[in-house]
Amino acid sequence: MYHPTVARLTYRALLGRRRALILFALPVLLLVIAVFTRVLAGADDNTAGEVLGGFALATMVPIIGVIAGTGAIGPEIDDGSVLYLLAKPVKRPTIIFTKLIVAIAVTMAFAAVPTLIAGFILNGNGQNIAVAYTVAALVASIAYAAIFLLLGTITRHAVIAGLVYALVWEALFGSFVAGARTLSVQQWALALAEKVVGRPDLVSSDVSLPVGIVLLVAVTVLATWYAGQKLRSLKLAAGEE
């Protein structure tokens, strides 16, 4: 299910100079915010939760997921080079699964790792807040990568659609509309963070832990499966032309 050559080409595409600069920008900003917050406010659990929840998990993780997920396949579809890949004797699910693994790895590296470092800077992992938000970032990275990889296979405007989802649905509606929060990857991931911390006054989610886990798994599996189906139909359409 994992193809090393496809993975190498995907890593090269994602970590090119322009995308790498964008991927590094948000983690660096998070660390700068963490340092200034620690200097100005000291080690405070509530402040650490606000920074990690309000910026790292709500903004940085989904945006990096957009860049990694859509960038893993979207540009190849746009410029037609995906047809060269499809002409090779590689199964379509293998292509999608490999690109998903790469997108997940990149999202985790540029989102979860900086979240952990920022958490230790903010309050030294007091109340396990740094670890809790890192766990949330890790599981959210998987779901976001699958969702945005799917978007990359179904629309040429995947980046725009992904940013709308990440910034409008997750960050805006997910923050103020109760019903929207239950359909938010962020809230599903927070269910695990709440379990790690064990204090709802510091970290809380609008969904229970079992529901959050089931939805994370279901969305990841369904998005990956459907992306494979869309890639197969793309091959058929190219052949008919």
Side-chain angles (χ1 to χ4, degrees):
M1 291 297 292
Y2 182 84
H3 197 283
T5 301
V6 174
R8 184 174 66 253
L9 294 173
T10 306
Y11 275 118
R12 185 180 301 173
L14 285 178
L15 300 178
R17 183 175 300 176
R18 185 172 61 180
R19 280 198 179 86
L21 289 175
I22 299 174
L23 286 170
F24 274 109
L26 286 173
V28 169
L29 179 59
L30 171 64
L31 296 178
V32 170
I33 291 173
V35 169
F36 274 95
T37 301
R38 178 62 185 266
V39 170
L40 297 175
D44 181 77
D45 296 338
N46 288 312
T47 302
E50 290 174 1
V51 173
L52 296 179
F55 181 77
L57 187 61
T59 302
M60 183 182 73
V61 178
I63 290 179
I64 290 178
V66 170
I67 298 169
T70 61
I73 196 168
E76 292 176 307
I77 294 178
D78 290 342
D79 63 20
S81 60
V82 71
L83 298 180
Y84 173 80
L85 179 61
L86 295 177
K88 299 297 181 181
V90 183
K91 294 180 179 179
R92 307 302 172 261
T94 298
I95 294 174
I96 288 296
F97 184 76
T98 300
K99 288 182 174 293
L100 175 63
I101 294 300
V102 173
I104 290 172
V106 170
T107 305
M108 286 182 173
F110 285 92
V113 174
T115 298
L116 180 63
I117 297 172
F120 273 93
I121 292 173
L122 286 163
N123 75 334
N125 194 38
Q127 306 296 331
N128 281 328
I129 289 178
V131 171
Y133 277 103
T134 300
V135 170
L138 287 170
V139 296
S141 295
I142 299 172
Y144 282 133
I147 291 170
F148 298 132
L149 180 66
L150 171 61
L151 284 179
T153 66
I154 63 178
T155 175
R156 291 181 178 274
H157 306 290
V159 173
I160 296 175
L163 289 175
V164 168
Y165 174 84
L167 299 179
V168 177
W169 182 265
E170 290 274 348
L172 185 59
F173 285 98
S175 298
F176 301 105
V177 182
R181 287 197 291 268
T182 61
L183 298 175
S184 165
V185 173
Q186 177 188 343
Q187 292 298 320
W188 305 340
L190 278 173
L192 279 84
E194 180 180 348
K195 179 65 175 179
V196 173
V197 172
R199 287 186 54 183
D201 59 314
L202 290 177
V203 181
S204 63
S205 171
D206 281 14
V207 300
S208 65
L209 180 60
V211 171
I213 293 175
V214 169
L215 290 174
L216 282 167
V217 173
V219 166
T220 301
V221 171
L222 288 174
T224 304
W225 171 80
Y226 192 58
Q229 297 303 305
K230 294 300 293 183
L231 195 63
R232 182 176 288 112
S233 67
L234 178 67
K235 170 62 176 176
L236 293 174
E240 290 170 359
E241 292 176 2

